[in-house]
Amino acid sequence: MPILWRPQLTTGSERLDQDHKYLFCIFNCIELALSSPDQIRHIPLFFEQLIDYTDEHFSREEQVQLQIGYHGYMEHKMEHQRLLERLKNLNDDIKKIAATDEGINHPDVLAAGFDKDILNLARSWIIGHVAKMDTGMLPYLKQHPAMFP
Ligand SMILES: [Fe+2]
Ligand SMILES: [Fe+2]
């Protein structure tokens, strides 16, 4: 099922919310590709994009937190590092599967290797982080609407 952004997930910054929507969108692309045999080969690329954009987004979010003197900055930054590390480990697994002969030539083998559990796991990490930690910035970012539209 696709992930949909909802207003309860707002951080108080339109820019950061846009990032979250885009990350959800990449997950939805991966899920769609998984259910379509001729699209499965694109999954490693989508996952690579997910890693790159997550990295970029985390840096942006941390910069915002530094600018507002966010009290939870260090804890939040450490959680970002843990999350990114886990996603990179998953990405390494995906690249290994895709690099095998079976992975390249047989979409069904590739699909089985990707396993929906992997996707669900990664997705729950991101959604959980946005819902539990990023929304904690809302009261602070609301105080700086002009700085962080
Ligand atoms: Fe975050
Ligand atoms: Fe975030």
Side-chain angles (χ1 to χ4, degrees):
M1 233 167 79
I3 329 171
L4 299 174
W5 188 88
R6 48 191 191 280
Q8 292 94 318
L9 294 177
T10 190
T11 58
S13 157
E14 183 64 28
R15 182 67 186 85
L16 295 179
D17 289 348
Q18 289 293 344
D19 278 354
H20 293 153
K21 288 173 192 173
Y22 186 65
L23 287 173
F24 290 2
C25 194
I26 300 175
F27 271 110
N28 293 337
C29 285
I30 295 172
E31 188 174 38
L32 203 62
L34 253 182
S35 59
S36 168
D38 57 334
Q39 298 296 317
I40 285 169
R41 63 196 157 87
H42 297 306
I43 290 179
L45 180 65
F46 288 147
F47 222 88
E48 202 70 42
Q49 287 176 352
L50 179 71
I51 303 286
D52 289 349
Y53 203 80
T54 300
D55 200 6
E56 186 185 320
H57 164 66
F58 283 174
S59 297
R60 184 162 26 251
E61 204 171 88
E62 287 161 18
Q63 278 307 310
V64 166
Q65 292 181 353
L66 277 178
Q67 284 173 277
I68 60 172
Y70 187 56
H71 68 93
Y73 168 76
M74 272 317 291
E75 187 194 350
H76 205 115
K77 185 180 169 69
M78 281 166 65
E79 184 56 28
H80 280 171
Q81 285 170 348
R82 277 194 290 267
L83 204 51
L84 196 60
E85 197 59 37
R86 286 196 241 164
L87 286 173
K88 282 181 176 171
N89 288 340
L90 272 187
N91 193 33
D92 287 344
D93 292 344
I94 286 171
K95 279 197 282 196
K96 276 183 212 151
I97 296 164
T100 62
D101 285 346
E102 291 84 4
I104 293 166
N105 299 314
H106 303 280
D108 50 331
V109 175
L110 205 54
F114 287 144
D115 191 341
K116 281 218 166 189
D117 287 349
I118 292 180
L119 177 64
N120 289 335
L121 189 64
R123 194 161 61 175
S124 68
W125 291 341
I126 294 285
I127 298 175
H129 177 78
V130 173
K132 287 184 195 138
M133 293 195 82
D134 290 352
T135 53
M137 292 183 285
L138 179 60
Y140 301 90
L141 287 173
K142 262 187 172 171
Q143 293 170 17
H144 303 82
M147 262 174 91
F148 304 104

